[in-house]
Amino acid sequence: RTTSKSSLPSARDPNFNEQILLPIDLPDDHSLCPSMLAQIIDERCGGLFSYVLGHSSVRIRDQITWDTASSENTVKCAVLYECERYSHVLGHWVPSITPPHWCDSRLRERGKEYFKLVGPGWAWESEWRVDVNDQTDKEGYQYARAIGLNGAGAFALPDAAWGMSSGAVSARGVRRRKWT
């Protein structure tokens, strides 16, 4: 949203502040709360010239007191993926750089320290553990051929691309395991 057009203040008195209030819907799970990006743009000559004067990103989840009373007896599950690549030079699996060695389901770099308790009265149910199921090998790994960039320049690999079998190591260059 933009501020209203004005020839005031003048060049001699440029100090002004217009506050914009925007209603937003927030998710129940604070960990899914988005960040807000704000840009300050100066337009001149009816928008012919525009200059970015500043920008900022605000983590909304850090600005809100979350209601934990309505969350009694609620269990939230934190999920991390540990990713590795096969090194043909070394002949074994090594921590991955792309995707990050520790990341979330969207392959954004995250570590265990990223996950914090929602508030007072919340506690960890257990220590981190590997999710081993019928879609993983006995150590909890799933394997994929490669990871590419999506249109936004982020690493992307759909869940359907991950499989249980390591196959030929040269054909399956990436593996991950899910920690909950």
Side-chain angles (χ1 to χ4, degrees):
R1 184 167 158 206
T2 60
T3 57
S4 41
K5 294 185 183 278
S6 172
S7 59
L8 297 173
S10 67
R12 292 178 191 239
D13 184 17
N15 298 313
F16 72 100
N17 181 22
E18 182 175 344
Q19 184 178 25
I20 300 174
L21 300 176
L22 300 172
I24 58 173
D25 293 325
L26 296 175
D28 292 332
D29 184 346
H30 83 288
S31 66
L32 301 175
C33 194
S35 292
M36 177 184 69
L37 175 63
Q39 287 187 319
I40 301 167
I41 301 173
D42 184 21
E43 288 187 349
R44 298 197 177 170
C45 299
L48 184 61
F49 302 104
S50 61
Y51 306 94
V52 176
L53 301 176
H55 57 87
S56 178
S57 179
V58 178
R59 286 176 46 138
I60 296 173
R61 70 188 254 186
D62 296 341
Q63 307 300 319
I64 297 173
T65 303
W66 294 88
D67 179 17
T68 56
S70 64
S71 303
E72 285 186 35
N73 300 322
T74 300
V75 174
K76 303 284 184 179
C77 184
V79 175
L80 274 178
Y81 289 94
E82 175 187 13
C83 299
E84 296 180 330
R85 285 191 175 272
Y86 188 80
S87 170
H88 295 282
V89 174
L90 299 174
H92 59 84
W93 294 95
V94 296
S96 178
I97 296 172
T98 53
H101 185 211
W102 292 99
C103 61
D104 65 9
S105 61
R106 293 208 247 164
L107 303 178
R108 294 176 299 193
E109 188 168 7
R110 299 283 189 254
K112 293 177 184 177
E113 66 281 353
Y114 174 78
F115 295 94
K116 306 215 180 324
L117 294 174
V118 176
W122 285 78
W124 293 111
E125 187 176 76
S126 66
E127 292 294 318
W128 288 93
R129 60 180 175 251
V130 175
D131 180 19
V132 179
N133 58 52
D134 61 346
Q135 300 297 312
T136 68
D137 67 12
K138 63 183 176 168
E139 295 177 326
Y141 284 106
Q142 290 181 305
Y143 299 83
R145 284 191 167 75
I147 298 230
L149 291 174
N150 67 14
F155 292 97
L157 192 61
D159 280 340
W162 296 93
M164 187 170 83
S165 169
S166 63
V169 173
S170 61
R172 298 275 185 177
V174 185
R175 71 179 183 177
R176 72 175 183 182
R177 63 179 168 180
K178 182 178 182 179
W179 290 78
T180 58

